[in-house]
Structure formats: structure tokens, C-alpha cells
Amino acid sequence: METLIPAVAIQKRVAEMGAQITADYPADEPLLLAGVLKGAWVFLADLARAIQRPVIIDFLHTSSYGEGKTSSGEAKLIRDLDTSIEGIHVLLVEDIVDTGITLDYLLRILNERKPRSLSIATFLDKPSRRRRPVPIRYTGFEAPDRFVVGYGLDFAGSYRNLPDLCALAEEEGQQTE
Ligand code: 5GP
């Protein structure tokens, strides 16, 4: 296991992102932070507390990579938001944008509900693997083209609780699908 971004650097960057988001949205207009489960929960918890204004928190859950490390090429909604988003600002909070398939899909279905605005905040951006263009408004860090774990990101359900962002060594993460 190799540490790529230590927790202290993550906390510093998330604080900057929170300050930027606080400055960008009018304080008197509702802002919904929509976390994409499962990977975004750690980032969302830290980001929400770095935003100095009222926010509403909700979650949605898409299908993901399953137990392995390769994308199925499709996204589907497993759990929808509880909140109606018509007329309000929505910030989709994601752990990592890889191929862009998940967020491309979510932007399409959420835009149909006519939010006041719909933007993306992602902890990591892995642009080398993009297959669908995705407009990202807030990026924490650019990720290398490696499989990363920690800070909410898993491999086969493990490692989400690591405070650092890490990369698995080749022999630790054999591809399972
Ligand atoms: P996309 O639809 O953009 O290809 O993939 C987004 C999802 O793929 C992320 O929310 C995450 O669950 C998963 N993913 C992509 N790259 C990685 C990675 O390097 N590590 C982990 N743990 N998950 C990844």
C-alpha cells in the first residue's frame, strides 16, 4: 500500500473547497449537497462541515464497479434522492470521476427535474480514463491512472476508512471481473 495523498493535505484542500463553495452560492438560496453512495460519504462529511452556510444533505446510490476494478460501462440508480430538487441549487458530491459514465447519467436524470443549478464537486478527477465529457466545477485533486483506495474509496468493500488516499500495489488488488 502506497500513500498518495496524506490526510493532512486532504483536509487542507477540502477546507479550501468549502470556502470556495461558501463564496459561490447566495447564502439566502437553498443548497442541496447530493452525495453519491457509497464512496462519497467521507468527502461529503468533511466538505459539508467546511461550508459556512446552511445546506441540505441527501444521498443517491448508483451501481458501481462491484467487487472488481473494471467498469461495466453502464450506470443505474439503486437509490434516489428523498428531496425534490425543482428550483434549488444542487451540488452533486462524488468521490472520483473516472470514465464519467456515472455522472453523465446522473446529470441527465437530475436536469430533467429542473433544479435551479446543477454542479459537480469531486474529491478526485482521473481524466486519463474519461469516456464521457463531464463538466466538473470543483475538483479536490487529480488522480493518477491507478486504482486508489481510502478516504471513502474501497476495493471489494474494504479500505474506505483509511484517512489517507492510497494506491494498492499490483499484487494486493488482482482484478476480479
Ligand atoms: P465512472 O462512472 O466515472 O467511471 O466511475 C465512478 C465510480 O467508479 C466512482 O464513484 C468509484 O466508485 C469508481 N472508481 C473509479 N475509479 C476508482 C478507483 O481508482 N478506486 C476506487 N476505489 N473506485 C473507483
Side-chain angles (χ1 to χ4, degrees), residues 113-138:
R113 302 179 191 176
K114 306 207 177 352
R116 171 128 193 206
S117 69
L118 180 59
S119 300
I120 294 169
T122 187
F123 172 54
L124 296 171
D125 183 13
K126 210 191 251 186
S128 56
R129 297 196 0 122
R130 197 73 88 253
R131 285 164 58 190
R132 309 256 172 92
V134 174
I136 301 175
R137 187 165 180 190
Y138 306 100

Side-chain angles (χ1 to χ4, degrees), residues 65 94-96 98-102 126 146-148 153-154:
Y65 281 20
E94 177 61 299
D95 54 355
I96 182 167
D98 185 23
T99 63
I101 288 168
T102 306
K126 210 191 251 186
R146 297 177 67 179
F147 195 81
V148 293
L153 291 117
D154 77 314

